[in-house]
Amino acid sequence: MPTDDDDTARAPRARAAAPHAAAADTLPPESVTDPDPDAPDGTPAPTTGHEPGTTTAAEPATVPDPTGTDPTGDDPGTAAPADVEPNEPRLLRRLLGADTLALDATPRARLHGWLWALGVTALAGFLRLWDLGRPHRLVFDETYYVKDAYSLLVHGYEATWVADSNPQFEAGDTSVLNADPAYVVHPPVGKWMIALGIQLGGGVESSVAWRLAAAVCGTLAVLMIARIARRLFASTALGTVAGLFLALDGQAIVQSRISLLDPFLMFFALAAFGCLLLDREQARRRLAVRTAAILDGGGPLRWGPGLGWRWWRLAAGVLLGLAIGTKWSGLYFLAVFGLLTVLWDATARRSAGVRPWVRATLVKDAVVAFLVMVPTAAATYLASWAGWFATDNGWNRHWAEANPGQGVQWLPPALRSLLAYHQDMWRYHTTLETPHGYAAGPLGWIVQWRPTSFWYPTEVSGLTGEAAEQACGAATCSQAIVSVGNPVIWWAGAAAVLVALFWLVRYRDWRAGAVLSGLVAGWLPWFAYMHRTIFTFYSVAFVPWVVLTLVYVLGLLVGPQVEPDGSAREVRARRWTIAAVGVFVAVVVGVGLFFYPVWSAWVIPWEQWHMRMWLPTWI
């Protein structure tokens, strides 16, 4: 994995640490009087020698002083020695790292970055779209969300259906849809996405149309993670591996072939993360250019320059609003990603030489980030209820008129009715305790301890004799859709989480914090809801960050290229490590293809199904 040019003071000298030994947010101490770039309070750090960016007598103008004077006491306008690096390239390297700057430096690099990402996306599309209509049945919670989606197309709100209407709906008979409003407990964005797929895919007669939106979003998620990982790790190879892993993960495949809400939550959250990663790079480039202009002009740095309007951050706010409009658990992604982007700004200002970096970040970045992201997400969420606002017959639509003395009186009637509806939904979500055979606590999600069986029809498993022989070539058959992740990815990913936590605490690598952020947002909050009925398939919301964490640790193992003066032993060790990682990737691919029949409802011999049930808790 490529490295940057900083952070050599703190990371261990062992080869395994090198990939992130150069992270642009983990910088060496400047001098005995400069703040430690990783210390939360800006306390001085001891000088460890002449590291890149370290102030020494031989490099008098390396670190800008916020007062506008050179650390040596010279006026900043005084001509610097000829061998001193100019401010702008020095700051760009310091804030972004040499490998990030070189990532798209040539047309060939840019072309390869897209070709490899599109290659794994094509594989993902094949695995998700091939025979997407199998089975032509409403599977698991499709009985709610697909029918709700069609109701949104017809009425603009979720209406009730005749009891036991699934067979009629599966046959294309929509006369069983009523006009009475249905009480639903999730916002409408995910269902509108399914409705769009139905509209574009041929209508309710096609089970492909039911699932088209989920399959397209699941495929695009692979493209996004390949590009995100490439930029995050400054490596096309690691980006390709990340895309390959998501393409072959069972949670991602199953929920791209079945229309539930959680894959849309994952899609919008991942897209928002990618926007914030692009915003980080753009903001740091601006900071480097504008800080260099101040220093070159001899002005005081003070709190550093403003960073202007940040469109990628606005886009992230819209996407997070759509995530919340799919499931309320998107709120946690908004909170965690909002803090993450502000922390990135704080480390950028500190690395650029701003002394009061905490105050500067709070005033110049944090407040602005809040005012951009939170209201944008809230407005997007509110807009997602447009169908409910436009109708007169949605659930609780006229609650305010029917209850004139209740609720928040200063709100308009429509918003007061919507708030009352949300209060009802909140009570439902926090008190749901219906027993279910596949209910699973969040602790086991990270190792897929108790996956959810979506489909196991008795009309297939009950076949015997000649009928079974014709169906699967054996005495007994199975047809299953088991929402279990690729076990190699998840089991290795669980160990990788511990490694990334160590690297974050010990070496303060910003990449470790980035890959763990989705786990913090998508997994940890569920520990507060262990009292209610929850399922392992919710983990699809954070599967991209399990993949990113695993790929991050693989990058640590591989390390950077050996320097030209490196020993033959170092060269051999790195080659063997790359070979071992290659074998691991091949195992992930093999296991993914092995499990594909129980992810995509193939009719197979019972023994073949049982061979894939590696743990007794999977049955």
Side-chain angles (χ1 to χ4, degrees), residues 87-111:
N87 282 315
E88 184 175 322
R90 174 181 59 80
L91 287 168
L92 281 170
R93 178 177 56 79
R94 185 172 178 79
L95 291 169
L96 290 172
D99 290 303
T100 296
L101 294 173
L103 187 61
D104 290 321
T106 66
R108 179 185 176 88
R110 292 192 293 272
L111 179 63

Side-chain angles (χ1 to χ4, degrees), residues 36 55 86 90 105 180 191 383 459-460 467 484 502 513 601:
D36 178 2
T55 301
R90 174 181 59 80
D180 297 332
K191 289 167 279 188
E459 57 264 32
V460 173
V484 59
F502 173 79

Side-chain angles (χ1 to χ4, degrees), residues 236-321:
T236 298
L238 292 181
T240 304
V241 170
L244 183 64
F245 283 2
L246 189 61
L248 290 163
D249 178 69
Q251 288 288 359
I253 289 174
V254 168
Q255 296 195 56
S256 296
R257 297 178 59 90
I258 299 296
S259 278
L260 305 184
L261 300 183
D262 302 84
F264 298 110
L265 170 62
M266 177 269 281
F267 175 81
F268 291 125
L270 181 61
F273 181 78
C275 287
L276 292 176
L277 193 64
L278 290 171
D279 171 75
R280 177 186 183 275
E281 180 172 330
Q282 185 182 75
R284 286 173 173 245
R285 289 182 182 273
R286 287 182 184 175
L287 181 62
V289 171
R290 296 179 184 185
T291 300
I294 294 173
L295 296 175
D296 292 342
L301 188 56
R302 295 195 179 97
W303 287 7
L307 299 179
W309 185 254
R310 297 163 68 167
W311 289 103
W312 286 117
R313 183 174 274 175
L314 178 68
V318 172
L319 289 164
L320 289 167

Side-chain angles (χ1 to χ4, degrees), residues 20-291:
H20 296 292
D25 280 353
T26 49
L27 301 169
E30 305 295 358
S31 70
V32 292
T33 58
D34 286 332
D36 178 2
D38 288 325
D41 57 357
T43 52
T47 300
T48 59
H50 185 58
E51 301 287 351
T54 303
T55 301
T56 66
E59 193 178 5
T62 299
V63 180
D65 188 278
T67 64
T69 59
D70 188 272
T72 62
D74 297 329
D75 185 277
T78 304
D83 59 346
V84 174
E85 186 178 13
N87 282 315
E88 184 175 322
R90 174 181 59 80
L91 287 168
L92 281 170
R93 178 177 56 79
R94 185 172 178 79
L95 291 169
L96 290 172
D99 290 303
T100 296
L101 294 173
L103 187 61
D104 290 321
T106 66
R108 179 185 176 88
R110 292 192 293 272
L111 179 63
H112 282 198
W114 278 106
L115 287 180
W116 284 103
L118 290 171
V120 293
T121 303
L123 172 64
F126 175 77
L127 296 175
R128 286 152 176 77
L129 292 166
W130 180 44
D131 205 3
L132 181 60
R134 184 184 60 239
H136 186 74
R137 298 284 185 88
L138 292 170
V139 173
F140 200 64
D141 283 351
E142 282 187 325
T143 186
Y144 306 115
Y145 304 133
V146 172
K147 291 192 294 184
D148 283 347
Y150 179 75
S151 179
L152 287 174
L153 284 175
V154 174
H155 295 306
Y157 62 90
E158 298 92 338
T160 59
W161 294 76
V162 172
D164 301 321
S165 59
N166 281 6
Q168 294 98 311
F169 182 87
E170 292 162 356
D173 179 6
T174 58
S175 65
V176 287
L177 174 64
N178 297 320
D180 297 332
Y183 174 59
V184 296
V185 295
H186 291 297
V189 169
K191 289 167 279 188
W192 276 116
M193 295 290 289
I194 298 170
L196 179 62
I198 293 174
Q199 187 73 9
L200 297 177
V204 295
E205 296 84 0
S206 169
S207 50
V208 172
W210 307 345
R211 299 160 185 157
L212 182 61
V216 170
C217 286
T219 301
L220 291 177
V222 172
L223 177 62
M224 286 195 297
I225 199 173
R227 296 291 296 175
I228 286 169
R230 177 178 182 268
R231 191 153 299 276
L232 183 62
F233 306 130
S235 168
T236 298
L238 292 181
T240 304
V241 170
L244 183 64
F245 283 2
L246 189 61
L248 290 163
D249 178 69
Q251 288 288 359
I253 289 174
V254 168
Q255 296 195 56
S256 296
R257 297 178 59 90
I258 299 296
S259 278
L260 305 184
L261 300 183
D262 302 84
F264 298 110
L265 170 62
M266 177 269 281
F267 175 81
F268 291 125
L270 181 61
F273 181 78
C275 287
L276 292 176
L277 193 64
L278 290 171
D279 171 75
R280 177 186 183 275
E281 180 172 330
Q282 185 182 75
R284 286 173 173 245
R285 289 182 182 273
R286 287 182 184 175
L287 181 62
V289 171
R290 296 179 184 185
T291 300

Side-chain angles (χ1 to χ4, degrees), residues 274-364:
C275 287
L276 292 176
L277 193 64
L278 290 171
D279 171 75
R280 177 186 183 275
E281 180 172 330
Q282 185 182 75
R284 286 173 173 245
R285 289 182 182 273
R286 287 182 184 175
L287 181 62
V289 171
R290 296 179 184 185
T291 300
I294 294 173
L295 296 175
D296 292 342
L301 188 56
R302 295 195 179 97
W303 287 7
L307 299 179
W309 185 254
R310 297 163 68 167
W311 289 103
W312 286 117
R313 183 174 274 175
L314 178 68
V318 172
L319 289 164
L320 289 167
L322 292 172
I324 300 166
T326 301
K327 293 188 82 171
W328 283 358
S329 48
L331 281 165
Y332 298 112
F333 286 96
L334 174 62
V336 173
F337 290 173
L339 290 174
L340 184 67
T341 187
V342 171
L343 285 173
W344 285 346
D345 286 346
T347 55
R349 290 194 180 274
R350 172 192 260 180
S351 298
V354 174
R355 290 296 188 271
W357 58 274
V358 174
R359 282 174 290 167
T361 300
L362 289 175
V363 174
K364 285 180 168 283

